[in-house]
Amino acid sequence: MDRVINIDINDKHDLYEPYNDNYLNKDLIDYLIRQGMPFKKKDKVTIEVDNNVRKRKNFEQILKQSLKMEKNRLQQKYRDMNKKQASWFIMGAIIILLGYIISESSALHEIIIVVGSVPIWEAISIELFKDTEIRKKIKVIDLLLKSQIKTI
């Protein structure tokens, strides 16, 4: 299926960062990612840009560079989330193990088990919700990097 994303630029500040003309506006990148979702592997994306915009610098090169930078930022965020997830899981496992070793009373044992399960559930929550959102955005950026850019 072919998908077309239209970019209607009224002014230079809609296109570039306010203090650096070498990068696309963050809002524009977010718009492209939102328009790319949901997608299928067979989707082909075409980005249509106003002809006036294309004359400014090398728009295609700046678009690809900005998308690659956003992809790198998301990949770093994904790695950080995985580290956080591992630390939550390890912390929960240690608390639960300490609960089995230390506690002799059943009430204290139950409290420690519950307290230890909270970080484990946090690790699961990160995997199920936050990581999937980042992975979807990375896949959309890959699709956008392969897309064709046309002027209208």
Side-chain angles (χ1 to χ4, degrees):
M1 182 174 112
D2 289 341
R3 182 179 299 182
V4 177
I5 299 174
N6 291 313
I7 300 176
D8 185 25
I9 304 296
N10 297 323
D11 140 354
K12 173 184 168 184
H13 299 295
D14 290 343
L15 183 62
Y16 299 113
E17 285 292 331
Y19 301 108
N20 191 348
D21 287 352
N22 294 325
Y23 300 108
L24 284 185
N25 191 333
K26 177 76 171 116
D27 293 335
L28 178 59
I29 293 173
D30 290 342
Y31 169 77
L32 289 171
I33 292 171
R34 278 193 320 271
Q35 293 300 310
M37 287 186 188
F39 72 95
K40 297 176 184 170
K41 289 183 180 180
K42 298 177 184 178
D43 282 352
K44 293 180 181 177
V45 175
T46 303
I47 300 173
E48 292 185 348
V49 183
D50 187 349
N51 202 12
N52 297 333
V53 170
R54 194 131 182 224
K55 292 177 184 175
R56 296 182 190 157
K57 298 194 178 181
N58 189 351
F59 176 73
E60 292 176 28
Q61 181 181 0
I62 292 174
L63 174 66
K64 301 286 182 181
Q65 178 187 7
S66 296
L67 286 171
K68 285 178 186 176
M69 286 177 55
E70 181 67 13
K71 180 180 176 182
N72 290 338
R73 188 187 70 76
L74 287 172
Q75 286 174 332
Q76 181 62 44
K77 188 175 180 181
Y78 181 72
R79 285 190 291 274
D80 292 343
M81 291 280 238
N82 285 341
K83 290 175 189 174
K84 185 185 291 187
Q85 182 181 357
S87 65
W88 279 114
F89 187 81
I90 291 169
M91 185 172 57
I94 290 171
I95 292 171
I96 290 174
L97 287 174
L98 287 175
Y100 279 114
I101 293 171
I102 295 174
S103 113
E104 294 180 9
S105 103
S106 63
L108 182 61
H109 174 72
E110 294 296 324
I111 291 171
I112 292 175
I113 296 296
V114 169
V115 169
S117 66
V118 171
I120 292 175
W121 279 110
E122 180 64 25
I124 292 170
S125 168
I126 290 171
E127 178 65 30
L128 292 177
F129 302 110
K130 296 177 183 175
D131 275 1
T132 53
E133 183 180 321
I134 292 173
R135 282 183 275 159
K136 283 181 186 177
K137 286 182 178 182
I138 290 172
K139 288 179 182 179
V140 169
I141 289 174
D142 285 336
L143 183 69
L144 291 171
L145 285 169
K146 296 175 187 173
S147 67
Q148 181 181 4
I149 299 173
K150 291 183 179 179
T151 56
I152 51 174

